[in-house]
Amino acid sequence: MDPYADSLAFGQRLQILRTRRGLTRDQLGGLVGRSGSWVKGVETGRLKMPKLEFILALAEALRVRDLSDLTGDQSLHVDLFAGPGHPRLAAVKAAVDAWPIATTREASPTTHIRARLASAWSARHSAPNHREVIGLLLPELIRDAQIAVRQADTSPERRKAQAVLAEVYSLCQFFVAYQPDAALLWRVAERGLVAAQESEDSYAIGVAAWLATQAHRDSGAAHYDAADAVNLSTLDYLAPLLDDASDDIRAIAGALTFEAGYTAARRGATGTAWRFWDTARAMAASLPAGFYDPVTSFSRAVMGAHAVTIAVELRQGGESVRQAVAAEATTIPSRPRRARHRIEEARGYQLDGQSEVALATLERAHEAAPETIRYNGYAKRIVLEEAESKSPTRRRRASELAVKIGLLAA
């Protein structure tokens, strides 16, 4: 059956989308704070279509990209977990899809490509419009890294080129994520994994696995096992190297350790989630005070933000707020990562019933990096829900923010 057919009732659409995500009724009910029998009642039509807050919660749990796919209301086209499609997406896609096997263009030295890559990461962290910045740089970076692999004369040179190519694909995945081209995202993720393995570079392997873990987890509950498989096997690979490892290797191991906790939190495994977070915190504490990994943001500074994320995913509103307050004194140097942290804080405040604070926190996220909030489904869900609030003040504030991030016309 096609959930996008106009004749289907809301409950039928819900059942089809739930089944496709591999969720039981009890699992979906737990994700939205309801019982499995409530889900059954909605699916069978015994209960009427729920209020907006539950429609948005169901859309989030099912990773529905467009609300009309769930509601059937073709006037309600709101992309939740996909952004509007960046103007530079086509050029980046063309570079990814290119096959420069017969090019006469001479390869740039890998040291030169790596220096440009470092500059691109630096620009991303400092820019409020970070997708625009890296979208401008990526096409040439991708082409040059591909050609460098193709024209490498020796095995060591080829491995170095593969490592650079893997890390260019990592930057590309940040650009492609949450854009309306899931196939491209997976193509980039898989090519990054292959290039990293060919490079035999431990850091490149760790980063590619870190991003693949996120791609699997963001695909929904049916893919959590795949996320864990990539994540935990990479941690096993890195473990023997850590005693004498450089800071960047220890940082990617720490980032992967947190990701294992993040996936556990999505599963609702409270003890496991916090245990992984605590291990990752100890790993971050062993790094130099000013260390900040440019890809994963792993550092001492980010562990407070990670604690907020764990608490939010476990739906622990009070704990989310407590961790948000504890993390407030720490400044995350990356603007997009800081904006993402504000969004996680806003989720926590909303869980705790502090909707005014949640909206104020989303406004701070928008100030830090407008492109981050524009592509974030959790932020859009809060804004849409509060735009229907009974409080005129909250309605006005949410509506103004909705205009800023493109959910409503000015």
Side-chain angles (χ1 to χ4, degrees):
M1 296 179 68
D2 182 0
Y4 311 124
D6 291 342
S7 60
L8 291 181
F10 177 84
Q12 293 174 299
R13 291 170 180 272
L14 177 62
Q15 184 174 7
I16 294 167
L17 291 167
R18 173 183 61 78
T19 303
R20 287 185 178 177
R21 284 297 182 192
L23 293 171
T24 66
R25 285 169 172 161
D26 286 337
Q27 288 171 331
L28 179 57
L31 289 172
V32 300
R34 291 288 183 171
S35 65
S37 60
W38 178 84
V39 175
K40 181 178 180 181
V42 174
E43 289 183 348
T44 58
R46 181 173 55 83
L47 299 175
K48 62 182 180 180
M49 184 188 297
K51 294 180 179 179
L52 179 63
E53 64 177 294
F54 286 109
I55 292 175
L56 291 170
L58 289 165
E60 177 185 316
L62 294 168
R63 307 299 290 184
V64 171
R65 291 187 177 275
D66 191 321
L67 277 181
S68 66
D69 295 343
L70 177 59
T71 65
D73 184 351
Q74 296 304 308
S75 67
L76 193 61
H77 285 292
V78 177
D79 290 330
L80 280 179
F81 290 92
H86 196 277
R88 298 196 182 279
L89 179 61
V92 172
K93 182 179 187 298
V96 171
D97 291 343
W99 186 242
I101 196 165
T103 183
T104 57
R105 181 172 171 175
E106 186 176 350
S108 299
T110 54
T111 52
H112 182 243
I113 300 172
R114 188 171 288 283
R116 288 161 55 199
L117 181 60
S119 295
W121 279 114
S122 179
R124 178 186 182 272
H125 289 307
S126 61
N129 57 333
H130 49 93
R131 275 189 170 83
E132 173 64 21
V133 168
I134 64 173
L136 179 64
L137 299 172
L138 272 170
E140 286 300 307
L141 271 172
I142 293 167
R143 291 188 187 103
D144 285 353
Q146 289 172 333
I147 294 169
V149 170
R150 174 66 183 160
Q151 295 181 5
D153 292 328
T154 67
S155 292
E157 287 177 356
R158 186 175 179 82
R159 286 195 294 271
K160 286 181 182 179
Q162 290 280 23
V164 173
L165 178 60
E167 292 177 44
V168 169
Y169 281 137
S170 296
L171 178 63
C172 185
Q173 194 166 334
F174 275 81
F175 176 84
V176 172
Y178 306 114
Q179 297 217 46
D181 194 336
L184 179 62
L185 172 68
W186 279 107
R187 193 149 64 251
V188 171
E190 289 167 356
R191 288 189 184 182
L193 283 169
V194 171
Q197 290 184 63
E198 291 291 326
S199 76
E200 300 182 14
D201 182 286
S202 298
Y203 180 76
I205 290 170
V207 168
W210 180 78
L211 285 164
T213 295
Q214 294 183 24
H216 281 298
R217 186 178 58 233
D218 285 346
S219 296
H223 301 266
Y224 291 169
D225 286 347
D228 279 337
V230 173
N231 197 346
L232 298 178
S233 62
T234 308
L235 280 172
D236 287 344
Y237 157 74
L238 292 172
L241 310 176
L242 295 181
D243 285 344
D244 302 314
S246 59
D247 290 340
D248 61 344
I249 299 297
R250 292 190 292 130
I252 192 59
L256 285 162
T257 300
F258 166 70
E259 290 301 319
Y262 193 167
T263 306
R266 283 274 182 94
R267 293 182 186 274
T270 303
T272 303
W274 284 114
R275 185 164 62 252
F276 274 119
W277 175 84
D278 202 46
T279 302
R281 179 180 59 173
M283 297 170 81
S286 73
L287 294 168
F291 180 89
Y292 192 85
D293 185 79
V295 182
T296 67
S297 295
F298 192 76
S299 57
R300 297 184 187 185
V302 86
M303 289 313 301
H306 283 337
V308 175
T309 295
I310 293 291
V312 166
E313 293 296 344
L314 291 170
R315 306 193 68 77
Q316 298 173 342
E319 181 64 17
S320 303
V321 170
R322 190 181 75 80
Q323 293 292 350
V325 171
E328 192 61 32
T330 304
T331 300
I332 299 172
S334 167
R335 290 185 72 151
R337 187 60 185 84
R338 194 156 66 243
R340 158 97 184 280
H341 171 48
R342 296 300 181 203
I343 293 167
E344 295 294 281
E345 286 184 318
R347 294 176 69 196
Y349 283 118
Q350 193 190 44
L351 277 173
D352 199 47
Q354 301 186 48
S355 297
E356 283 281 3
V357 183
L359 286 173
T361 307
L362 286 181
E363 289 167 351
R364 294 175 71 187
H366 186 267
E367 290 170 6
E371 283 192 349
T372 295
I373 190 171
R374 197 172 295 131
Y375 284 80
N376 189 284
Y378 301 116
K380 288 188 275 190
R381 175 193 162 186
I382 294 172
V383 171
L384 286 171
E385 191 171 325
E386 294 304 325
E388 297 290 327
S389 169
K390 293 180 180 179
S391 163
T393 303
R394 274 165 40 202
R395 262 200 325 272
R396 183 175 61 253
R397 196 169 190 174
S399 296
E400 289 172 353
L401 189 52
V403 170
K404 288 180 182 178
I405 65 178
L407 283 175
L408 295 176

